[in-house]
Amino acid sequence: MSLESLPVSGVGIGLRRSMVKELQQKDHPVADFLEVAPENWMNLGGRRGVQFEWFAERYPFMCHGLSLSIGSLEPLDREFLLSLKLFLRRFNILHYSEHLSYCSGDGGHLYDLIPLPFTDEAIKHVAERVRQVQDILEQKISVENVSYYTSVDNKLSEAEFIRAVVEESDCGLLLDVNNIYVNSINHRYDAESFLKGMPAERVTYFHVAGHYDEADDLKIDTHGSAVKDPVWELLAQAYQHCGIKPTLLERDFNIPPLDEVLAESNIIRQVQRRHNSSSRVAA
Ligand SMILES: [Fe+2]
């Protein structure tokens, strides 16, 4: 199966509450799409609800979930999924994605995204849950490769695990290029080889983000600083392998003034332009 291309291209930024006022003062759209965590916007009435409507009338939207806990052993939250479905339909949101991890257990929610073990059993479990989510939402979703800092008793490589999950779920892949870089350093693998092992035809869009250099051999995925050079280089390689797909700049902490976010998102545009002109030369 090849997932149909999303009806959006180019460059996106995350819509954060701190940016709302500044964005509303712009006289034209400043990004090709916006991304939100549905949990932060879907049940809002009043002023926040009106704000979201204002944005939804002007920008294409992607939703990137935080709380579904797709890999958990707990039952799926059907009530949440049905509310989410209404939200996606009501605002004509283009796509919904979640992290390939879990964040709940023992009846409660944890704050961190916990990686799944890279085993056949986990593939079967999570693929079945992704299919259930797709059935409830009546649309394909994407799962995102996450950063992780401990290695459990893995039987498969991370790349084998991700490939098998998206194949068995028949879902899309949101490829986070910063997470590939961070994991490649922390777990000592070659980022470019990993990238080449990803199923290009299933990649729906990309994330790039900043990380913290704790040490030469330890990088922390923080989303709290500017994207670093090795990640920009890896994004260029991702375009070579997958073609240009919509690409989102993730910034969740230390959010700078809007113009700084937009200047950084313009670097994505430059990487896309460079890819297009080198492809034309090669042709
Ligand atoms: Fe991401």
Side-chain angles (χ1 to χ4, degrees):
M1 180 216 92
S2 75
L3 272 160
E4 286 183 20
S5 296
L6 293 172
V8 68
S9 60
V11 178
I13 60 170
L15 174 61
R16 302 289 172 260
R17 286 187 183 162
S18 62
M19 299 174 181
V20 162
K21 227 179 185 172
E22 274 187 286
L23 279 169
Q24 288 187 316
Q25 283 163 357
K26 300 279 181 191
D27 55 10
H28 60 279
V30 295
D32 300 307
F33 66 97
L34 298 178
E35 187 194 78
V36 283
E39 290 86 348
N40 291 340
W41 294 88
M42 62 193 249
N43 291 319
L44 297 178
R47 189 166 62 92
R48 291 291 180 197
V50 172
Q51 272 175 353
F52 192 80
E53 275 180 27
W54 187 93
F55 283 102
E57 282 166 9
R58 288 162 179 80
Y59 287 90
F61 264 89
M62 311 267 207
C63 269
H64 185 45
L66 293 172
S67 67
L68 185 62
S69 201
I70 196 93
S72 164
L73 296 171
E74 306 271 301
L76 276 171
D77 187 344
R78 288 185 71 88
E79 210 171 297
F80 166 79
L81 285 167
L82 292 171
S83 301
L84 173 67
K85 186 177 181 176
L86 289 176
F87 181 69
L88 299 176
R89 297 286 192 280
R90 175 168 174 214
F91 293 106
N92 209 12
I93 287 170
L94 301 176
H95 198 60
Y96 168 69
S97 59
E98 249 294 352
H99 303 84
L100 188 48
S101 60
Y102 67 99
C103 59
S104 60
D106 296 331
H109 270 278
L110 305 170
Y111 289 104
D112 283 331
L113 299 169
I114 304 164
L116 294 161
F118 304 146
T119 62
D120 290 325
E121 201 185 2
I123 292 166
K124 212 166 151 244
H125 172 69
V126 76
E128 172 57 29
R129 287 175 55 103
V130 173
R131 285 196 300 270
Q132 281 174 30
V133 171
Q134 294 184 141
D135 286 347
I136 294 169
L137 296 179
E138 296 181 270
Q139 66 183 61
K140 298 285 181 201
I141 70 164
S142 292
V143 289
E144 182 191 33
N145 59 307
V146 295
S147 54
Y148 57 100
Y149 301 92
T150 51
S151 285
V152 278
D153 186 20
N154 293 322
K155 301 280 184 288
L156 302 166
S157 70
E158 183 188 351
E160 287 170 324
F161 176 75
I162 292 171
R163 270 200 308 271
V165 169
V166 295
E167 276 308 316
E168 285 203 25
S169 316
D170 195 14
C171 73
L173 177 60
L174 160 55
L175 211 47
D176 188 310
V177 176
N178 181 58
N179 288 349
I180 296 177
Y181 176 74
V182 164
N183 289 341
S184 76
I185 300 292
N186 295 345
H187 302 287
R188 324 273 189 268
Y189 63 69
D190 181 63
E192 197 177 347
S193 309
F194 178 93
L195 194 51
K196 286 180 176 162
M198 290 294 98
E201 71 285 0
R202 288 194 178 271
V203 174
T204 46
Y205 74 115
F206 293 112
H207 274 177
V208 286
H211 60 262
Y212 177 67
D213 291 309
E214 178 80 31
D216 283 351
D217 58 355
L218 180 59
K219 311 294 173 193
I220 312 289
D221 172 35
T222 56
H223 300 186
S225 62
V227 178
K228 302 211 162 136
D229 285 347
V231 176
W232 289 127
E233 285 157 23
L234 202 55
L235 179 64
Q237 288 164 2
Y239 290 157
Q240 273 171 29
H241 177 56
C242 305
I244 292 182
K245 307 272 170 113
T247 305
L248 180 103
L249 175 66
E250 283 193 297
R251 187 69 182 254
D252 296 312
F253 301 102
N254 303 322
I255 300 175
L258 180 63
D259 285 343
E260 212 175 296
V261 173
L262 296 179
E264 194 178 18
S265 74
N266 251 327
I267 302 176
I268 299 175
R269 243 178 257 290
Q270 289 163 18
V271 180
Q272 294 181 341
R273 266 191 225 118
R274 270 204 299 276
H275 175 82
N276 278 334
S277 46
S278 62
S279 311
R280 272 197 295 275
V281 170

